[in-house]
Amino acid sequence: MEKYQRIWDDAIDRLKSNISQQSFDMFFSTPKKVYKVKNNKMYVVVQNNHEQFMLDKFYLKEVVEMIAEVSGFNYDVKFITNDYVKNDQQAFDLTKPDPNLPKYYRGNLNTTYTFDRFVAGKSNRLAYMIALQVAERPGEVANPLYIFGGVGLGKTHLMQAIGNFILDDNPSSRILYCTSEKFIDDYRHATLDNNFEAFKEKYRNIDVLLIDDIQFLSKKEQTQTEFFNTFNELYNNNKQIVITSDRPASDLKDIMDRLTSRFEWGLQADIQIPDTQTRIEIMKKKLAGENINLEEFPEEVLEFIASKFNSNVRTLEGALKRLIFYATINNSDFTIELANEALRDLFKAEQKNSKVDVNNIIKEVGAYYDVSVADILSKKRKKNIAFARQVAMFLTRELTGSSFPKIGEAFSGRDHTTIMHGCEKIEKELKESDELKKAISDLKQVLS
Ligand code: ADP
Ligand code: MG
């Protein structure tokens, strides 16, 4: 907490020159304690309810701005009184869930899936931001929130972060996380026992429903009808619903239209495969979580791992854990040689599973623009061919993180400056062309 206390103190120091002496003396002259920081929110203890009210109303914006200035990070601030601290500590002491709440309301959230631990990058930023807003104002911003994307890209993490955030704000809220398979199973049991009381109590008497991997409802007509009723009841009562899926709602197969069209009522956000930089950031965050000093872990080793595991964050994380384990038992430093040794088997498996390799990227880009692989690899300069070629170069760079010379080799031995130029051109055009934006996003979806 020391680090945050320092940020707070520095921020207040700066605030001094931005507000009147009188206001400063009134609200900030006695030092305030940062109680905790959770989910990007700084909890600051104030003297009483009146002070809390005044600070919230008149100084919140300034304080948040100053904190951003000194820390370079957008923390939210929540002013709390000692009452809050007391309750919170009691809740901590209990470590057990509130005995009055059925266990499925709390017990099935993974408490490590928080916004804090989620790295937002180009590939997921929109989904992250919407999820955060939904968590701040459940039932108001986007209902349902529908998050979709490939395997291991953070859908479950983000969905549970919403639940954890809401619980944090209000420990008695009833959050139900379940996979659609669990829903199917529960419904089947209710039917077999001809007892729907408990089922309805569980799924309808809640504040937030997080339903994971909805695609598995496919072909289960009866369960779909039941889910439709559950959805309507929650929706009509302004209860937040969050859904994840491996594809957009409109592409769901064998799920009734009246259901999929409801999924489109709120907001849909997709998560794509993270680019190299984001993969590196994710690893850094995991290392911090493992209390490993980043200075011990050379950037080149991170880059190396990021270049080898590029399609699934879960696999990336697994590789990193394995390397840490390997280094610990061998008592050795983190080097590329060690990574090579520790991860050899995983490389093979990854190559087999990953759709993100240069040949496949060229193939998919070719299919998208109706240009043959041979033409992309050729020297032809026809406009549409050259364009598809550059898109393929760009995606290869972004998704595999390979060096320019290495990509050059894969593109019939082109010079690295040609690759660089191609990537820059697409990057520039991306800022202006919605069509290209959509193409890149579609292609990333295909490749994940
Ligand atoms: P999905 O549900 O999309 O298959 P998960 O949410 O289970 O994926 O994520 C797989 C693993 O990768 C989890 O351990 C999760 O914490 C991690 N992960 C995925 N994306 C991120 C991210 N952007 N930042 C940090 N960790 C991530
Ligand atoms: Mg999942």
Side-chain angles (χ1 to χ4, degrees):
M1 222 24 62
E2 244 172 76
K3 169 182 146 200
Y4 297 110
Q5 188 66 52
R6 203 160 340 115
I7 293 178
W8 169 265
D9 292 341
D10 288 352
I12 298 311
D13 234 22
R14 278 196 191 204
L15 187 68
K16 213 180 212 164
S17 45
N18 283 307
I19 63 177
S20 76
Q21 179 73 37
Q22 198 187 6
S23 317
F24 188 86
D25 288 347
M26 188 145 29
F27 295 109
F28 298 100
S29 55
T30 45
K32 298 193 195 328
K33 234 180 98 188
V34 178
Y35 168 60
K36 67 174 179 184
V37 174
K38 212 163 176 191
N39 283 320
N40 297 337
K41 198 180 271 194
M42 214 178 259
Y43 292 71
V44 178
V45 187
V46 302
Q47 291 184 23
N48 49 42
N49 290 338
H50 172 70
E51 192 172 273
Q52 180 184 31
F53 176 81
M54 296 300 282
L55 286 170
D56 253 342
K57 206 165 160 60
F58 297 110
Y59 296 105
L60 184 61
K61 201 167 137 266
E62 279 85 353
V63 167
V64 166
E65 272 172 22
M66 289 303 137
I67 291 175
E69 268 184 31
V70 299
S71 70
F73 195 81
N74 279 323
Y75 290 101
D76 197 3
V77 170
K78 189 178 169 93
F79 295 113
I80 54 173
T81 58
N82 272 319
D83 281 348
Y84 179 101
V85 175
K86 244 182 261 153
N87 282 334
D88 195 55
Q89 278 168 347
Q90 260 165 17
F92 260 130
D93 287 347
L94 283 171
T95 51
K96 289 196 290 289
D98 178 348
N100 299 319
L101 280 180
K103 70 174 185 306
Y104 44 75
Y105 289 144
R106 309 205 50 151
N108 59 2
L109 282 180
N110 178 337
T111 51
T112 68
Y113 285 167
T114 58
F115 286 110
D116 279 340
R117 294 181 199 233
F118 192 87
V119 175
K122 236 191 285 174
S123 56
N124 59 26
R125 183 164 290 124
L126 190 66
Y128 177 89
M129 281 176 5
I130 298 174
L132 193 57
Q133 286 184 28
V134 164
E136 276 168 354
R137 287 182 293 144
E140 289 176 38
V141 182
N143 208 9
L145 169 60
Y146 185 98
I147 304 171
F148 66 95
V151 180
L153 299 185
K155 301 184 295 295
T156 300
H157 185 142
L158 209 48
M159 160 181 260
Q160 294 208 11
I162 297 176
N164 280 318
F165 186 103
I166 297 174
L167 263 183
D168 223 35
D169 247 9
N170 176 5
S172 60
S173 47
R174 286 158 306 175
I175 315 268
L176 181 60
Y177 165 85
C178 82
T179 60
S180 67
E181 288 135 308
K182 177 73 182 146
F183 187 88
I184 294 166
D185 200 48
D186 281 353
Y187 182 66
R188 195 172 59 88
H189 280 291
T191 318
L192 286 177
D193 304 345
N194 195 19
N195 178 357
F196 293 90
E197 287 289 309
F199 181 86
K200 284 197 175 148
E201 171 69 20
K202 172 174 174 181
Y203 283 99
R204 300 194 189 185
N205 189 17
I206 55 177
D207 302 310
V208 179
L209 176 61
L210 310 171
I211 189 129
D212 209 355
D213 288 320
I214 198 77
Q215 70 272 11
F216 295 125
L217 276 191
S218 163
K219 294 207 172 77
K220 312 265 184 220
E221 283 92 14
Q222 259 189 326
T223 319
Q224 285 172 32
T225 306
E226 181 56 35
F227 187 69
F228 180 78
N229 295 331
T230 305
F231 183 104
N232 286 340
E233 175 143 342
L234 292 174
Y235 184 90
N236 290 335
N237 287 307
N238 258 333
K239 304 299 186 187
Q240 180 68 47
I241 303 163
V242 183
I243 300 167
T244 69
S245 169
D246 65 348
R247 66 200 76 186
S250 55
D251 291 357
L252 284 167
K253 297 222 166 51
D254 299 312
I255 293 188
M256 48 183 68
D257 289 346
R258 58 185 171 147
L259 205 46
T260 54
S261 66
R262 269 173 175 62
F263 296 165
E264 297 178 23
W265 279 358
L267 269 177
Q268 295 200 55
D270 67 331
I271 301 189
Q272 297 176 340
I273 5 184
D275 52 65
T276 311
Q277 197 47 45
T278 308
R279 296 203 291 279
I280 292 176
E281 292 301 320
I282 290 174
M283 283 190 281
K284 286 187 176 165
K285 191 145 261 193
K286 304 281 170 197
L287 288 174
E290 303 271 340
N291 282 324
I292 292 178
N293 198 334
L294 275 179
E295 277 151 31
E296 287 172 41
F297 212 105
E299 187 84 13
E300 59 171 14
V301 180
L302 289 174
E303 282 168 11
F304 175 72
I305 303 174
S307 72
K308 295 285 185 183
F309 299 93
N310 49 26
S311 58
N312 180 325
V313 180
R314 191 177 294 124
T315 322
L316 178 76
E317 217 176 300
L320 187 68
K321 276 197 191 131
R322 177 132 155 205
L323 177 59
I324 295 171
F325 179 68
Y326 209 82
T328 314
I329 57 171
N330 289 305
N331 197 15
S332 44
D333 293 339
F334 297 107
T335 59
I336 295 200
E337 292 77 61
L338 190 77
N340 242 325
E341 204 176 302
L343 307 177
R344 197 172 303 138
D345 313 342
L346 297 184
F347 292 157
K348 282 192 204 126
E350 172 72 4
Q351 265 163 12
K352 239 186 260 160
N353 289 333
S354 172
K355 293 190 216 164
V356 182
D357 82 300
V358 59
N359 295 326
N360 205 39
I361 293 174
I362 293 175
K363 193 179 111 217
E364 293 297 347
V365 172
Y368 193 91
Y369 286 109
D370 204 14
V371 172
S372 74
V373 170
D375 277 349
I376 291 186
L377 294 174
S378 75
K379 297 246 162 352
K380 289 184 191 166
R381 287 168 180 241
K382 226 173 118 196
K383 210 169 160 201
N384 65 324
I385 297 177
F387 185 71
R389 186 181 298 135
Q390 285 171 332
V391 169
M393 289 172 181
F394 170 83
L395 278 172
T396 306
R397 172 74 181 165
E398 190 161 297
L399 297 178
T400 70
S402 292
S403 66
F404 291 121
K406 197 143 170 259
I407 301 174
E409 273 167 42
F411 283 79
S412 320
R414 283 180 161 76
D415 190 68
H416 73 275
T417 52
T418 311
I419 309 295
M420 238 154 93
H421 170 76
C423 292
E424 275 164 15
K425 185 165 161 262
I426 296 296
E427 225 161 273
K428 209 162 127 210
E429 225 173 293
L430 255 180
K431 297 206 178 93
E432 283 137 32
S433 159
D434 286 340
E435 198 185 324
L436 181 57
K437 241 181 246 162
K438 177 160 189 328
I440 297 284
S441 152
D442 287 350
L443 280 161
K444 281 187 181 169
Q445 211 58 256
V446 175
L447 289 164
S448 70

